[in-house]
Amino acid sequence: MQQAANNSQHPWHALSCETVYAQLNAAPGGLSDAEAARRLASYGPNELIAAHRTSAWSILLDQIKNVLIIILLVAVALSACMGHGVEAIAIGVIVMFAVILGFVQEYRADRAIEALQKMAAPMATVLRNGEEMEVPSRDLVPGDIVLLRAGDRIPADARVTESINLQVEEAALTGESVPVEKHADALASGEMALGDRRNMVYAGTAATYGRGRAVVVATGMATEFGKIAQMMQSIETGRTPLQENLDKVGHSLAKMAFVVVALIVAVGLLRGQPFMEMLIFGIALAVAVVPEALPAVVTISLAIGVQKMVKRHALMRRLAAVETLGSTSIICSDKTGTLTKDEMTVRKVYAAGQLLDVTGAGYEPHGQFMRGQDVVDPSGAVELLLRAGALASDAHIVHQEAEGRWHLKGDPTEGALVAAAAKAGLKKIDLEAEMPRVNEIPFTSESKRMTTLHSGPNGLVAFSKGAPEIILAACTRVRTEDGEPLLDEATRATIVETARKLASEALRILAVASKENAALENAEHDMTFLGLVGMIDPPRPEAKAAIHKCEAAGIRPVMITGDHPLTAEAVARELGLLKAGRVVTGAEVDAMSPEVFEREVEHIDVLARVSPEHKLSTVTAFQKLGHIVAMTGDGVNDAPALKKADIGIAMGITGTDVTKEAAAMTLTDDNFASIVAAVEEGRGIFGNIKKYLMYLLSANIGEIGLMAGTSLLGMPLPLSAVQILYVNLATDGLPALALAVDPPEPDLMRRKPRNPRTGIFTRPVVTLMLVGGIWSTMINLSLFTWARHSGRSDAEAMTMTFVSLVLIEFFKAYNFRSDRQSAFVRPLANKWLNLAILWEMLLLMLVVYVPLLHAPFGTFSLTLQDWGIILVLASTITPVLELAKWMVRRGWFGSLA
């Protein structure tokens, strides 16, 4: 046996059947059992092999390796050692929650190969020892002869050697909208896209019509499915912008904590302060620097966002991917089933010299017939055309009450004819009751038509549908509104030209004819031409509006499909997706070097007749140019690109298990428009995380500044360790959680995508944080100094400083609801923040005025005068931050993006 065996890249489609048999050392009668066993030992079983999977312990360890988690674990240990059990438990619970949630998300993330394995056929019918037998698909080997029948799943990649009207559904692999007719003839070109190889069948696809034989040329990981599995195993899933940003935050805070704590503790020890006092002080400072609630708030923020997205028909599999949507700048969308419905639909009918448009999409029997801008009732000739098309079809459309959708039973092309008739009020069940079918001449690839005979009031009537040139050649008369005159050459030429024009619009054209007083032997002769029907897998009605919304939000949609270039171009133009860009085929991409493709990809709007490798390389090229790429799709051919993309989006209804497992997000309604809602949610989530971080880190800067200032001035501690923990966990915690569910800003979807490389901490954000933190430091340091020199006790001075710090945090919470808008725009829009502040004020009153809490919290009952002084000083943070925002809006500190 030669080296070509078990190689799907070998040009089997360009070879004759005899040459294929010779190269595989096979024969039409099949292999012997002994030879099959020898080849099985040589090539291995016909199954997909999953790569080594990461153990659960490794995934768990990765969660704990996070810098913030490590800092918090150290804080837990130190708090426990110092006897602060409540604080240790509180921080420990937060850590456990964040670690467990991260572990669960990642553990479920890599099931795509298992889903791909499930698509393999369990059994296959083969010829062995010259006899037909069933064997497990895993036992197939190159050279086996497989028998294919309608309904069979193709068990391996194979070259067709015999086809009796064999049609195969290849949408999952190639994106082709309708079943593909197969034949056994060799094809001229060695370099052809999978969708054009009409003499090949591929593992994981399914026979829908007819029967045939094929010789296996590739099994297991050597099949096209196997190549997809290998691509998916080799793809490294990138980290989300949020994960990158939070890692930077964690590292920065760790370094800051170490430097500041070491410096201040060293200064204290040099001044002769007790070691234990400075150790407690150091722990308090470390706690002040580290945002203990960060993992919890981020996780809760993402989880709440996920719940909102479910209501908007988007289901997230990985929490961190929610935020990635907000940075998305490119959406690479599959055509079939994503931008279109994956349901063939009649768009035009031509009868009695008039051309009508048909509205509606898919198999729903709802739509209108239009002449220009006017709605018209189907005339007698149009109605007869639709009646004949439906009766000459085997398909039915049925309404599934549970799903609220119409489903097709049968061939997509015939389903389109049945649905078009139903739009004219002609239900197939009623038509068949009126004119029951009594005989038929089935469709064959040679005849290219199907004819049915029906019992009518005046005898047998034949209805025929098929290729226009075939049907027209069988007709001698033509149906008009006035009767059935002879079909002259001028009328024939008009029909041919109309068919050519419709075909140029990427419509699939069928002609329909009839014959009265027909018999089986003459049914397809001397027929009456009824008209033409043009159909296409149409764009989703809502997809056009969704594309416009994406463009308004600065997101560029790109169509990537395995379908024919003409079809792809027609759909793209109708959607408004194809503008100044180009339509490029997979063959043209192959002719480009990777460097050239990277340069050209920015100018390509549509890629057609592409393979899984092309989809993957397109996503990679956009990513190399700095884009955050979302990839949508439903077929197996989309899975590698979905996994590689920054955000993979699978279709929930028509999508395969493979794509759902490879994707980060699934659209439960298969609606491209739902992506826009998901992007808005993603942007809102990132915005809320930014609000929380601005709020919290500004607070921490204020605390560090206060502690460092008093230390450098040789003053006693202005806050106790318990007070600092209270501010960080209680006072900062609830308002931060409330900011995590803050309503989105009104202009959110009119902004350009955020550049992920800029991170959270843009210059305007850092400016606002520093201004808030420094002003807080100045106010509290001044207040503490004044209180001590005004004759008040240290306990009262500490309490005034503590309360001032808390109130400044409350004012900041409202100010940091936006990094650009005034706090007085929709000031009370966040009801959860309002409730959180009220609750925190109640707790603050208890801490200050309940004697039982004075000792543990080191507080003192303040007078009304104390409160007046504190309120006036604390409220000054608002005008200061308003001034800073005014300067930000005018670009004093750089771009807001």
Side-chain angles (χ1 to χ4, degrees):
M1 195 171 359
Q2 299 179 17
Q3 290 298 314
N6 215 31
N7 181 0
S8 63
Q9 291 299 305
H10 196 69
W12 300 108
H13 56 280
L15 306 177
S16 67
C17 293
E18 293 74 19
T19 306
V20 172
Y21 283 134
Q23 291 202 5
L24 291 170
N25 283 351
L31 303 173
S32 66
D33 286 338
E35 177 62 17
R38 191 185 69 76
R39 296 190 185 193
L40 184 62
S42 173
Y43 293 114
N46 177 36
E47 60 189 7
L48 302 184
I49 302 165
H52 173 71
R53 295 184 58 184
T54 309
S55 71
W57 287 111
S58 297
I59 294 172
L60 185 62
L61 190 61
D62 284 341
Q63 308 306 309
I64 298 170
K65 283 179 185 175
N66 181 289
V67 176
L68 274 177
I69 297 294
I70 292 170
I71 295 171
L72 292 178
L73 287 173
V74 171
V76 170
L78 290 174
S79 297
C81 291
M82 299 307 299
H84 300 295
V86 174
E87 292 87 345
I89 292 170
I91 302 171
V93 167
I94 289 169
V95 170
M96 187 173 68
F97 180 65
V99 167
I100 289 174
L101 206 64
F103 169 77
V104 171
Q105 291 293 322
E106 283 199 30
Y107 187 72
R108 293 181 58 247
D110 201 16
R111 295 287 188 275
I113 303 301
E114 290 179 15
L116 203 58
Q117 289 171 326
K118 290 177 185 174
M119 292 191 72
M123 300 295 288
T125 305
V126 300
L127 287 177
R128 291 266 176 94
N129 306 313
E131 295 180 3
E132 184 178 323
M133 63 175 67
E134 276 206 347
V135 299
S137 288
R138 70 185 306 277
D139 292 343
L140 284 183
V141 294
D144 259 327
I145 307 298
V146 291
L147 308 184
L148 305 172
R149 299 182 180 89
D152 287 350
R153 191 170 285 282
I154 310 300
D157 289 4
R159 167 69 160 84
V160 177
T161 58
E162 178 183 277
S163 172
I164 313 297
N165 307 319
L166 179 65
Q167 294 183 16
V168 178
E169 173 63 67
E170 296 181 337
L173 188 64
T174 66
E176 190 77 50
S177 303
V178 294
V180 179
E181 291 179 32
K182 296 295 181 179
H183 60 76
D185 301 329
L187 299 173
S189 173
E191 292 296 326
M192 298 185 83
L194 294 182
D196 294 324
R197 298 179 188 178
R198 299 303 174 98
N199 59 6
M200 296 289 294
V201 290
Y202 296 102
T205 60
T208 59
Y209 191 85
R211 56 191 173 84
R213 294 186 180 195
V215 56
V216 174
V217 297
T219 59
M221 297 300 281
T223 63
E224 293 298 327
F225 256 40
K227 285 159 60 182
I228 291 172
Q230 286 174 325
M231 279 191 282
M232 291 171 69
Q233 289 169 1
S234 63
I235 293 168
E236 290 292 329
T237 305
R239 294 169 64 76
T240 70
L242 178 64
Q243 289 169 324
E244 299 283 1
N245 281 316
L246 292 182
D247 270 3
K248 288 177 186 174
V249 172
H251 283 97
S252 300
L253 292 176
K255 290 172 186 175
M256 191 191 305
F258 179 78
V259 172
V260 172
V261 171
L263 184 64
I264 294 176
V265 170
V267 170
L269 291 173
L270 287 172
R271 286 183 175 168
Q273 291 178 271
F275 175 76
M276 285 306 294
E277 182 182 329
M278 292 313 299
L279 183 59
I280 294 169
F281 188 30
I283 293 170
L285 273 178
V287 169
V289 173
V290 178
E292 286 84 357
L294 177 60
V297 172
V298 170
T299 302
I300 290 166
S301 177
L302 293 174
I304 291 169
V306 166
Q307 292 306 311
K308 286 184 184 175
M309 290 173 78
V310 167
K311 293 175 185 174
R312 301 177 85 170
H313 308 291
L315 181 66
M316 299 304 301
R317 291 186 65 251
R318 290 192 280 278
L319 283 184
V322 176
E323 175 273 337
T324 311
L325 281 165
S327 315
T328 300
S329 54
I330 298 282
I331 297 179
C332 294
S333 176
D334 184 46
K335 177 186 73 70
T336 307
T338 308
L339 291 166
T340 68
K341 290 179 73 73
D342 196 14
E343 297 177 357
M344 291 299 286
T345 304
V346 171
R347 299 295 292 271
K348 294 183 184 288
V349 293
Y350 174 78
Q354 59 178 328
L355 185 64
L356 301 182
D357 293 313
V358 187
T359 66
Y363 302 126
E364 289 191 14
H366 308 302
Q368 296 174 317
F369 294 81
M370 312 280 294
R371 186 185 292 113
Q373 300 299 314
D374 302 322
V375 178
V376 297
D377 287 325
S379 66
V382 173
E383 185 176 316
L384 181 57
L385 166 66
L386 296 170
R387 181 188 296 269
L391 283 169
S393 300
D394 292 325
H396 288 80
I397 52 173
V398 294
H399 189 256
Q400 296 284 355
E401 295 292 342
E403 297 179 23
R405 296 177 67 238
W406 288 82
H407 285 264
L408 167 70
K409 291 191 173 180
D411 178 76
T413 302
E414 293 187 343
L417 294 172
V418 172
K423 290 172 185 177
L426 303 171
K427 294 183 179 178
K428 185 150 195 263
I429 190 168
D430 297 334
L431 295 177
E432 289 177 332
E434 254 179 68
M435 300 182 72
R437 187 186 299 187
V438 295
N439 217 327
E440 67 179 76
I441 303 171
F443 173 90
T444 67
S445 53
E446 290 77 27
S447 69
K448 293 186 178 175
R449 65 179 167 191
M450 174 181 178
T451 304
T452 58
L453 284 84
H454 301 262
S455 175
N458 303 315
L460 287 182
V461 181
F463 296 117
S464 189
K465 70 176 194 305
E469 66 277 11
I470 300 294
I471 297 296
L472 200 53
C475 294
T476 54
R477 294 182 176 275
V478 60
R479 176 72 184 191
T480 68
E481 296 296 356
D482 303 320
E484 296 183 3
L486 288 171
L487 180 59
D488 56 33
E489 288 305 314
T491 306
R492 195 180 292 272
T494 301
I495 293 169
V496 169
E497 177 58 24
T498 303
R500 188 199 63 76
K501 182 183 174 186
L502 293 178
S504 71
E505 297 174 23
L507 296 174
R508 186 178 188 188
I509 313 302
L510 285 182
V512 182
S514 68
K515 180 173 183 174
E516 301 281 346
N517 300 313
L520 188 63
E521 54 273 10
N522 66 7
E524 296 182 335
H525 303 283
D526 299 321
M527 302 189 82
T528 299
F529 185 83
L530 299 180
L532 299 170
V533 178
M535 61 186 73
I536 195 172
D537 175 18
R540 292 177 174 272
E542 63 278 3
K544 189 170 186 177
I547 283 171
H548 288 317
K549 284 183 182 178
C550 283
E551 290 173 342
I555 300 165
R556 182 182 162 216
V558 177
M559 180 191 291
I560 307 183
T561 178
D563 216 338
H564 195 280
L566 274 179
T567 308
E569 182 176 350
V571 171
R573 287 199 187 282
E574 187 171 341
L575 286 168
L577 188 148
L578 184 60
K579 293 184 174 68
R582 298 162 50 197
V583 179
V584 173
T585 64
E588 290 174 279
V589 173
D590 286 335
M592 300 180 197
S593 68
E595 295 75 22
V596 171
F597 182 57
E598 276 181 39
R599 286 201 307 271
E600 293 295 319
V601 75
E602 291 274 32
H603 309 293
I604 297 171
D605 283 339
V606 177
L607 287 108
R609 271 292 185 255
V610 294
S611 67
E613 292 94 333
H614 295 132
K615 295 187 179 190
L616 188 58
S617 61
T618 302
V619 170
T620 305
F622 277 124
Q623 288 175 330
K624 283 185 179 178
L625 293 170
H627 290 289
I628 296 296
V629 184
M631 170 76 191
T632 72
D634 60 350
V636 174
N637 57 335
D638 301 321
L642 289 183
K643 189 174 180 184
K644 173 64 177 173
D646 298 284
I647 177 88
I649 307 169
M651 301 296 114
I653 298 172
T654 57
T656 59
D657 286 345
V658 183
T659 52
K660 291 174 191 174
E661 292 294 343
M665 182 174 99
T666 299
L667 299 182
T668 57
D669 61 350
D670 283 17
N671 191 335
F672 184 84
S674 296
I675 298 171
V676 180
V679 168
E680 183 176 1
E681 208 62 57
R683 289 187 177 189
I685 286 167
F686 183 84
N688 288 349
I689 291 171
K690 181 168 67 174
K691 294 170 192 178
Y692 159 71
L693 281 172
M694 281 196 301
Y695 165 68
L696 187 76
L697 296 181
S698 178
N700 288 358
I701 290 168
E703 291 171 40
I704 293 167
L706 174 62
M707 304 295 267
T710 53
S711 178
L712 293 173
L713 293 172
M715 298 166 67
L717 292 176
L719 300 170
S720 69
V722 173
Q723 285 174 345
I724 291 177
L725 281 171
Y726 178 87
V727 170
N728 274 262
L729 292 175
T731 304
D732 290 345
L734 276 181
L737 287 173
L739 287 175
V741 292
D742 199 48
E745 294 176 57
D747 65 340
L748 197 62
M749 286 301 285
R750 293 192 296 275
R751 301 175 189 170
K752 297 300 178 187
R754 178 181 53 80
N755 184 345
R757 287 193 295 273
T758 61
I760 294 172
F761 301 109
T762 58
R763 284 176 64 188
V765 167
V766 172
T767 299
L768 289 173
M769 280 168 35
L770 288 173
V771 167
I774 292 168
W775 189 257
S776 174
T777 296
M778 290 167 59
I779 291 295
N780 290 319
L781 192 55
S782 301
L783 176 62
F784 183 64
T785 305
W786 173 83
R788 291 186 68 238
H789 287 87
S790 66
R792 289 170 170 80
S793 65
D794 281 354
E796 187 174 357
M798 288 176 69
T799 303
M800 289 182 74
T801 308
F802 169 64
V803 171
S804 171
L805 182 63
V806 170
L807 292 184
I808 286 173
E809 297 306 301
F810 292 167
F811 285 116
K812 279 185 184 176
Y814 285 99
N815 278 278
F816 285 134
R817 286 189 56 235
S818 174
D819 61 349
R820 59 192 77 190
Q821 288 187 338
S822 167
F824 299 105
V825 176
R826 306 183 306 151
L828 302 175
N830 188 339
K831 65 177 182 180
W832 297 109
L833 181 58
N834 302 334
L835 291 171
I837 298 300
L838 286 173
W839 172 252
E840 291 296 342
M841 277 300 300
L842 176 62
L843 289 181
L844 184 61
M845 291 297 179
L846 293 174
V847 168
V848 172
Y849 289 110
V850 174
L852 190 64
L853 299 177
H854 284 176
F857 282 93
T859 50
F860 182 91
S861 296
L862 298 177
T863 66
L864 197 59
Q865 183 188 22
D866 292 339
W867 275 102
I869 294 167
I870 294 166
L871 273 171
V872 169
L873 290 173
S875 63
T876 59
I877 192 70
T878 295
V880 169
L881 286 173
E882 283 296 307
L883 177 63
K885 285 188 191 178
W886 180 83
M887 296 167 73
V888 163
R889 287 195 294 273
R890 275 148 188 78
W892 287 29
F893 306 111
S895 171
L896 280 165

